[in-house]
Amino acid sequence: MPELPGGRRARPRGERRRPALASRCRPCASTPSGLDAHGIVRHLTDVERSWLRDVFAGHEELVFDWTDDPDGELHVPDGATMEQLLAEYAAGAARCDAVVAAHQLDDVSARRGFSLRWVLLHLLEETARHLGHLDLLRELADGSTGEEPIG
């Protein structure tokens, strides 16, 4: 893990965020435009993979759902379950965490010239924004609010 000022080591990046994501995904509504929890989880999977493995680490073999459709990752295939999407997210997050563990916060990305510190802060911002979207979708579905996991 990257070092923090004073020689401290960073906690695993997803330590609090990943359980929060799963707890906000059941039950959920959708918006008139079709945004739902399934699409948000798929989007976050692609965004982490894009920033950490493509932009930062320069991995060439990655394929993204937005190649032909800018919102492609939000359009989840019929039959995809939340459990499958969360498992894909967790597996992708583990691969992204390996990239983070192999670098220092001030290392510069293979593409676009961003530091790992900037990428991680951007991902924190992106994930927090979408956790808020999930909170709103959950409230629309069943009226529940707050950070506590559902039942």
Side-chain angles (χ1 to χ4, degrees), residues 8-104:
R8 294 175 296 148
R9 299 298 275 174
R11 291 188 311 181
R13 190 172 57 76
E15 184 175 294
R16 179 161 154 69
R17 178 198 72 221
R18 291 183 184 126
L21 177 65
S23 74
R24 284 170 166 84
C25 291
R26 299 178 275 264
C28 252
S30 65
T31 65
S33 67
L35 179 66
D36 64 11
H38 289 71
I40 290 172
V41 171
R42 192 164 184 221
H43 170 73
L44 288 172
T45 300
D46 274 355
V47 166
E48 284 195 26
R49 188 165 44 110
S50 172
W51 276 105
L52 287 167
R53 295 181 60 212
D54 180 31
V55 174
F56 187 79
H59 295 175
E60 298 287 339
E61 76 285 359
L62 303 172
V63 177
F64 295 95
D65 299 312
W66 57 64
T67 304
D68 296 323
D69 175 359
D71 295 323
E73 81 274 14
L74 297 172
H75 306 144
V76 177
D78 290 338
T81 67
M82 183 55 71
E83 289 73 24
Q84 290 169 326
L85 293 168
L86 288 170
E88 289 171 12
Y89 178 75
R95 289 187 288 276
C96 289
D97 285 348
V99 170
V100 173
H103 293 88
Q104 298 299 311

Side-chain angles (χ1 to χ4, degrees), residues 102-115:
H103 293 88
Q104 298 299 311
L105 290 173
D106 292 326
D107 289 351
V108 176
S109 62
R111 304 186 214 320
R112 301 176 60 187
F114 292 107
S115 71

